[in-house]
Amino acid sequence: MSRAPRVGVLALQGDVREHLAALARLGVDAAAVRRPAELAAVHALVLPGGESTTMAKLARTFELLEPLRARVAAGLPVLGTCAGMILLADRVEDGAVGQETVGGLDITVRRNAFGRQVDSFEEDLQVAGVDGPVHAVFIRAPWVEHVGEGVDVLAQVEAGPAAGRIVAVRQGPLMATSFHPEVGGDSRIHALFLSGAGLT
């Protein structure tokens, strides 16, 4: 492996630039991934926020969906945020008709669980493995309805009508958040992902 791990960001749609910036702050070699050859060259991958159905369709169009599934099955460390959480989930509630996912994470997510765009909100969360509160931004976010046996819950909503809902999980090399850790200048969630994947 090169001195700095190469971490890709799936660059079909969504918050690509913000994730690249968060990774760059940690000193990793961050690269946009749009083609199978680019996917093959990374040691880890971020699936960004965006629109999960659009991202899955574009991944199929760009012939990335099956290579993504194969690399996840082979143990590629992946961080999924918001729509990326949906893409990593094995099961989706309230999904679009025929919605596809990459899968690999033994969770059931509920799409748009917190409501529409106008229901977006921000909250400080305690995240296992991170010192101090994390300022979490939720935008048309999913939440986790059910976790499988091997899935660790890292964070839950702490107040309001959604209190107790699971919004961050980890299973082996896979990690996912309902919120957008790439918003703002805090790279601690990305650092937690990389350290758990053995890349720092």
Side-chain angles (χ1 to χ4, degrees), residues 115-183:
R116 301 163 64 87
Q117 192 88 11
V118 295
D119 300 307
S120 300
F121 69 102
E122 302 179 21
E123 179 179 318
D124 287 344
L125 297 177
Q126 298 299 319
V127 179
V130 177
D131 289 334
V134 172
H135 189 68
V137 178
F138 294 86
I139 304 169
R140 290 181 62 208
W143 66 43
V144 178
E145 291 269 341
H146 174 77
V147 298
E149 260 184 46
V151 179
D152 294 322
V153 174
L154 302 180
Q156 295 170 270
V157 176
E158 295 171 21
R165 291 295 185 180
I166 299 167
V167 292
V169 294
R170 174 166 235 150
Q171 181 183 3
L174 305 179
M175 181 173 155
T177 69
S178 299
F179 53 90
H180 290 263
E182 74 282 4
V183 174

Side-chain angles (χ1 to χ4, degrees), residues 45-155:
L45 184 69
V46 176
L47 302 179
E51 216 297 310
S52 58
T53 51
T54 301
M55 289 166 73
K57 287 175 183 173
L58 287 170
R60 185 162 285 292
T61 299
F62 282 80
E63 299 183 342
L64 269 170
L65 193 57
E66 295 309 327
L68 277 168
R69 287 171 172 164
R71 287 222 58 195
V72 168
L76 178 72
V78 182
L79 169 64
T81 65
C82 197
M85 172 186 266
I86 297 170
L87 286 174
L88 274 182
D90 283 343
R91 299 167 299 278
V92 181
E93 297 284 343
D94 291 340
V97 175
Q99 179 159 2
E100 293 188 282
T101 70
V102 173
L105 194 50
D106 186 11
I107 60 172
T108 303
V109 299
R110 183 168 297 280
R111 189 165 162 260
N112 295 340
F114 291 97
R116 301 163 64 87
Q117 192 88 11
V118 295
D119 300 307
S120 300
F121 69 102
E122 302 179 21
E123 179 179 318
D124 287 344
L125 297 177
Q126 298 299 319
V127 179
V130 177
D131 289 334
V134 172
H135 189 68
V137 178
F138 294 86
I139 304 169
R140 290 181 62 208
W143 66 43
V144 178
E145 291 269 341
H146 174 77
V147 298
E149 260 184 46
V151 179
D152 294 322
V153 174
L154 302 180

